[in-house]
Amino acid sequence: MADFLTPQHEDFSKWYNEIVQKADLADYSPVRGSMVIKPYGYTLWERIRDELDRRFKDTGHVNAYFPLLIPMSFLEKETEHVEGFSPELAVVTHGGGAELEEPLVIRPTSETIIGHMYAKWIQSYRDLPLLINQWANVVRWEMRTRLFLRTTEFLWQEGHTAHATRQEAVDETLRMLDVYTDFAVKEAAIPVIQGRKSESEKFAGAIASYTIEGMMRDGKALQSGTSHFLGQNFARAFDIQFLDENNEKQHAWTTSWGVSTRMVGAVVMAHGDDQGLVLPPHLAPIQVVIVPIWRKDAERAEVLAAAERIRARLKGLVRVEMDRREGYSPGWKFNDWEMRGVPVRIEIGPRDVANQTVMVARRDVPGREGKALLSMAELESQLPLLLEGIQTAIYNKALAFRDSHIIDVNSYDELKEAIETGFARAWWAGSTADETAIKEDCKATVRCIPTDQPGGAGVCIYSGNPATEVAIFGKSY
RNA sequence: CGGGGCAUAGCGCAGCUUGGUAGCGCGCACGGUUCGGGUCCGUGAGGUCUGCGGUUCAAAUCCGCAUGCCCCGACCA
């Protein structure tokens, strides 16, 4: 057992804080609430970024970059938007040694500046749809911060699109939600629940917000991506108008959608165990690590040479590293790489060199059961299959965990019990006030109204009103 | 921003009650030993005790103020 890491069941938050730092994902910075993303953590983010970016481009989007600084007055153009964001704005009041005439805000999100530009760029229905994404940093002065989950500054992508019709914009909103779901399932191996946010949880200025909600290993929910249908709210505020086929002026219909570095936290908390990280092979910065083992100097040269030959053969096929560090015992290295979540470890010692074999250990199956002897000749053919197998196994494990922690409840008391260990699913037709009351009573919120509905009708768990939809309740990060 | 806690070596902590030579574990450096699941031994480097002010012959220790961090609430990708 790992005594260098707090067990999850003892204190999940502590486990999280420790593993993020010990696995070299991130470190605290001198400025309150912000963090340094270290190379290992950043590489993981790059993997997330590349997989998302590929999907955005496959669905017709292009990347651009809009500025960090936004005139304060822009935020004020959309009433709900400014009300939602003003408490968490960082404002620049001075520049060049003088006080600015108009304060600039550091973007908390870019709807406003992009809306302003779209108004200039869009004149005709022929200019639509406009499908732009940007990779950027944003700043929100959060009251309480946690590494990756909620930092003052974070990295994300924000897609902003404009369309000629309501239906097109709604379709886009849902298409991107599907893209996020596809990413979460196939790459992050997180079985998310996609659905619509309740009125009280939706984005400031949106008509409707959609979300993918993941379940972490402590049963709590983490919103891992959102997609917003903004209607014509921002188009009106920023005067994004175009002439349609009939030469009539119309306001454009816009959407926005984002996934942030919080996704790193989701991967950590959805799969990690008491030994440390468990990274899905598709996202792991290092997929295979080779640990050479020797006793005497003569063995050392022989083993290192054999290990190096294997590394050279696998390079290009998988993301592989060799652990050449001196002065650490093999056992120490095993634990170290397990903590870092590397999916596959190849152990190679004098015995293996003699037999032309290696010991292959998989991270997702702890102890001896996870180890298997493999002939060196089979590495190229077997490793990619093994990595895919691990990817699937990690997903299935997370899926089984999630499904066994969602309870269909028929009373409010049952709901309160269910959200202590996971999610509760219930008929829902309550008001915003009901939601607030529930939150104050037991800290649970409507995580989403799932896309996937049972159909039929029922009785609202809280208000007793007739209900046509079920909602997922849970405690969240 | 309300409530609570903490601040001493890179990290985790003891010392503070009862003021008097600043310590332990891990890590780090060097040497040896070990190496198929966090080896063991030795030597060594490393601290204006968060800052400012006060009390005192004397302050890590007592008092005041400030700052930062952590936890619980309200806010949130």
Side-chain angles (χ1 to χ4, degrees):
Chain A
M1 251 306 132
D3 54 357
F4 37 85
L5 192 61
T6 300
Q8 292 184 337
H9 65 85
E10 198 174 287
D11 187 339
F12 193 80
S13 285
K14 197 170 176 190
W15 171 86
Y16 178 80
N17 283 331
E18 285 178 7
I19 192 58
V20 165
Q21 289 176 85
K22 289 188 178 185
D24 274 331
L25 296 178
D27 200 356
Y28 290 103
S29 94
V31 175
R32 189 197 77 92
S34 55
M35 66 173 174
V36 175
I37 304 175
K38 296 178 78 176
Y40 193 58
Y42 196 79
T43 308
L44 180 53
W45 171 241
E46 285 180 317
R47 291 293 312 131
I48 292 169
R49 193 192 60 191
D50 291 350
E51 289 297 340
L52 284 170
D53 201 65
R54 183 164 61 79
R55 286 171 167 79
F56 299 156
K57 288 174 178 157
D58 283 349
T59 45
H61 302 83
V62 289
N63 286 331
Y65 186 78
F66 295 84
L68 174 76
L69 298 173
I70 301 176
M72 180 62 115
S73 58
F74 279 29
L75 273 289
E76 291 159 358
K77 287 187 183 185
E78 216 289 336
T79 321
E80 282 183 31
H81 193 62
V82 68
E83 280 171 7
F85 278 105
S86 58
E88 47 189 84
L89 293 178
V91 183
V92 178
T93 56
H94 288 72
E99 188 168 349
L100 302 175
E101 271 191 30
E102 180 183 353
L104 301 172
V105 304
I106 299 177
R107 61 181 163 218
T109 178
S110 302
E111 275 77 6
T112 58
I113 182 86
I114 292 178
H116 175 84
M117 298 313 295
Y118 278 15
K120 291 174 65 175
W121 297 344
I122 295 167
Q123 268 114 46
S124 155
Y125 70 94
R126 296 178 211 276
D127 297 325
L128 297 172
L130 189 51
L131 308 173
I132 293 180
N133 174 65
Q134 87 163 340
W135 291 94
N137 57 339
V138 289
V139 166
R140 298 181 186 179
W141 219 261
E142 301 289 354
M143 292 294 131
R144 248 182 99 195
T145 58
R146 298 196 60 192
L147 295 169
F148 288 110
L149 302 181
R150 193 179 305 102
T151 46
T152 301
E153 176 186 357
F154 57 93
L155 306 183
W156 75 346
Q157 59 71 216
E158 45 180 329
H160 296 270
T161 68
H163 307 264
T165 67
R166 179 190 177 93
Q167 191 56 50
E168 250 189 59
V170 168
D171 290 347
E172 167 76 4
T173 307
L174 297 176
R175 178 185 309 118
M176 297 324 286
L177 189 68
D178 283 342
V179 163
Y180 287 159
T181 304
D182 186 66
F183 165 83
V185 168
K186 291 200 182 123
E187 316 299 349
I190 301 174
V192 293
I193 299 178
Q194 63 161 238
R196 193 180 80 241
K197 278 290 182 191
S198 67
E199 276 304 298
S200 60
E201 297 264 328
K202 78 177 191 196
F203 178 74
I207 301 289
S209 287
Y210 298 83
T211 176
I212 50 170
E213 298 283 328
M215 183 186 284
M216 305 298 104
R217 293 203 55 82
D218 60 352
K220 286 168 78 175
L222 185 71
Q223 179 173 329
S224 308
T226 49
S227 186
H228 311 293
F229 171 58
L230 304 175
Q232 294 176 308
N233 290 351
F234 283 86
R236 287 204 196 88
F238 289 91
D239 202 28
I240 308 172
Q241 295 196 72
F242 64 95
L243 284 175
D244 67 14
E245 297 93 323
N246 305 316
N247 201 35
E248 279 171 32
K249 270 214 165 183
Q250 303 279 353
H251 281 107
W253 299 82
T254 66
T255 80
S256 68
W257 26 275
V259 159
S260 72
T261 34
R262 173 181 274 187
M263 186 57 86
V264 174
V267 170
V268 172
M269 291 197 296
H271 304 306
D273 63 20
D274 286 347
Q275 305 301 316
L277 301 181
V278 177
L279 296 178
H282 290 186
L283 297 181
I286 301 169
Q287 295 175 308
V288 177
V289 66
I290 302 170
V291 178
I293 298 160
W294 65 83
R295 229 179 263 269
K296 310 177 203 91
D297 269 359
E299 293 172 342
R300 176 178 182 276
E302 195 180 56
V303 167
L304 278 178
E308 176 51 37
R309 277 195 299 277
I310 291 171
R311 194 195 66 81
R313 275 167 47 193
L314 294 178
K315 197 181 152 208
L317 191 67
V318 296
R319 293 188 288 276
V320 60
E321 295 262 320
M322 166 143 68
D323 188 347
R324 293 175 160 277
R325 288 178 292 180
E326 306 271 348
Y328 292 96
S329 68
W332 192 94
K333 289 181 176 179
F334 296 168
N335 282 288
D336 193 48
W337 289 112
E338 281 172 10
M339 191 176 71
R340 292 175 149 76
V342 174
V344 171
R345 181 180 66 242
I346 295 178
E347 307 169 14
I348 172 163
R351 282 203 306 259
D352 302 297
V353 175
N355 300 332
Q356 288 295 294
T357 58
V358 292
M359 189 64 86
V360 175
R362 48 190 290 176
R363 174 62 180 89
D364 63 317
V365 181
R368 288 211 86 73
E369 301 90 85
K371 288 197 183 192
L373 208 58
L374 195 66
S375 87
M376 284 188 192
E378 290 178 298
L379 280 171
E380 281 102 330
S381 61
Q382 290 305 307
L383 276 183
L385 294 176
L386 178 61
L387 287 169
E388 282 311 304
I390 292 171
Q391 180 81 23
T392 305
I394 288 177
Y395 176 78
N396 287 338
K397 188 180 174 191
L399 182 65
F401 178 85
R402 187 200 71 181
D403 286 348
S404 65
H405 287 78
I406 300 180
I407 301 175
D408 283 298
V409 297
N410 295 305
S411 72
Y412 182 54
D413 283 341
E414 284 177 29
L415 182 148
K416 286 211 270 191
E417 197 186 325
I419 53 103
E420 290 306 317
T421 53
F423 296 168
R425 184 165 39 210
W427 289 105
W428 175 247
S431 64
T432 300
D434 292 336
E435 260 185 88
T436 310
I438 292 171
K439 189 175 181 184
E440 277 171 13
D441 183 44
C442 67
K443 291 176 188 165
T445 49
V446 175
R447 298 320 307 153
C448 70
I449 293 112
T451 309
D452 202 9
Q453 285 288 330
V459 177
C460 174
I461 192 102
Y462 193 76
S463 65
N465 296 333
T468 56
E469 290 180 319
V470 297
I472 297 285
F473 289 82
K475 292 188 188 174
S476 75
Y477 277 92

